[in-house]
Amino acid sequence: MRGRAIKLSAPRRLVGDLMRFSIGVPRVAVQRQMNLGPLVRARMAQQTRPSWTAIFLKGYALLALEMPELRRAYVKLPWPQLYEYPASVASIAHEREYDGEPAVLLSCIKCPERYSITELEGSIHAARSRPILEVPEFRRALRMAGAPAPVRWLLMWLGLNIARQRANYFGTFQLSVYSGLGAESLNPLTPLTTLLNYGPIGNDGSVNVRIHYDHRVMDGANVARALDRFEKILNGTVANEVVLLGQGVAAPARRRNAT
């Protein structure tokens, strides 16, 4: 059958490169069905409700503050080893339009545990609404997409395996969700140590939450315990912060412990 060839656009090259380095990661998923009733009730009581993306981002950042395994990465330079970062860098996937087609682009937030939910929501909104070329991470990625494939692949391999630079360019964990569209991804890929996603959230607070993790860095039991603790953080510290937002009280900017 005669069809037509379509040249790979910059967004498709970016996704292809990301998948090239993600496919070799021995990734496993652990899922927990959570009951986030207290958090849902706290959010529903607010006149202006914070986004679920910002809420989950804050909770996971607090979890990673407690669990150093979530701040580690497997790197190959100067030899295979694990590298632990002192703080998290969140990598958040956004769907934007670029040159007339949907493009998945990643923005980073350094030390998200230090920011309030309102501040995180502001950063996420800026990445979703500002002109694409005004977002530094988007501009850098699209510029990289214009380079020849061998150059892109070499630079990406170096960026992922030079430990001190990896978090600056790629982050320590990724957040990617479709729950707002009534769907959930069962097998997302990322070159990072963990990827957090969740499905649609019921009115009673029931939701499936998954951590997809690099088995070279940690084991399933660690992740299962992390999900249990994550549920407690969301229904405790994070729900309390949502209540404070409704009262016009700012949460501490540099919280160190989650209860």
Side-chain angles (χ1 to χ4, degrees):
M1 181 181 295
R2 184 180 295 274
R4 64 189 180 100
I6 301 175
K7 182 180 179 180
L8 288 176
S9 63
R12 298 326 307 162
R13 289 196 295 273
L14 287 174
V15 172
D17 292 347
L18 191 65
M19 294 301 97
R20 180 184 180 89
F21 288 93
S22 300
I23 200 70
V25 176
R27 188 159 307 286
V28 183
V30 176
Q31 174 179 296
R32 179 179 176 88
Q33 186 173 32
M34 294 188 180
N35 181 353
L36 302 182
L39 175 58
V40 168
R41 290 190 291 274
R43 181 176 179 270
M44 292 292 289
Q46 308 313 312
Q47 186 173 7
T48 302
R49 297 168 186 167
S51 70
W52 283 115
T53 302
I55 287 172
F56 272 83
L57 173 57
K58 180 62 179 284
Y60 197 75
L62 292 174
L63 176 67
L65 190 64
E66 292 185 9
M67 301 189 67
E69 299 95 325
L70 299 178
R71 291 182 274 110
R72 293 174 185 165
Y74 178 91
V75 296
K76 297 179 179 179
L77 292 177
W79 47 76
Q81 60 181 311
L82 298 182
Y83 190 88
E84 183 176 307
Y85 298 93
S88 296
V89 181
S91 174
I92 305 169
H94 307 274
E95 186 183 53
R96 299 291 307 270
E97 184 172 310
Y98 181 74
D99 279 353
E101 70 169 298
V104 176
L105 298 167
L106 302 173
S107 70
C108 288
I109 300 177
K110 294 184 177 180
C111 305
E113 69 279 358
R114 299 182 181 182
Y115 298 101
S116 69
I117 291 173
T118 301
E119 290 169 326
L120 293 174
E121 188 156 26
S123 296
I124 294 168
H125 177 73
R128 291 176 176 173
S129 59
R130 290 173 60 190
I132 282 183
L133 296 181
E134 290 185 10
V135 180
E137 298 95 330
F138 297 173
R139 184 172 62 248
R140 183 174 61 240
L142 290 168
R143 185 170 63 243
M144 175 73 73
V151 174
R152 300 198 313 269
W153 300 338
L154 174 61
L155 292 176
M156 192 166 181
W157 187 89
L158 290 172
L160 287 168
N161 288 287
I162 298 176
R164 293 185 63 179
Q165 297 303 323
R166 174 183 166 115
N168 293 329
Y169 290 108
F170 295 97
T172 59
F173 71 87
Q174 187 171 333
L175 176 61
S176 179
V177 293
Y178 314 114
S179 59
L181 300 173
E184 52 189 308
S185 178
L186 300 179
N187 188 32
L189 296 177
T190 178
L192 303 185
T193 299
T194 62
L195 184 150
L196 171 69
N197 73 347
Y198 53 90
I201 301 170
N203 292 332
D204 61 351
S206 60
V207 58
N208 290 323
V209 180
R210 299 181 191 85
I211 295 178
H212 306 261
Y213 68 97
D214 184 343
H215 211 330
R216 297 171 298 184
V217 179
M218 67 187 80
D219 298 320
N222 301 74
V223 180
R225 286 188 288 269
L227 283 166
D228 177 65
R229 178 61 181 145
F230 188 32
E231 183 174 3
K232 291 180 172 65
I233 289 173
L234 289 171
N235 282 327
T237 302
V238 175
N240 290 337
E241 182 175 339
V242 171
V243 172
L244 291 175
L245 292 176
Q247 297 173 353
V249 180
R254 292 176 178 267
R255 180 174 296 156
R256 291 298 180 184
N257 295 301
T259 57

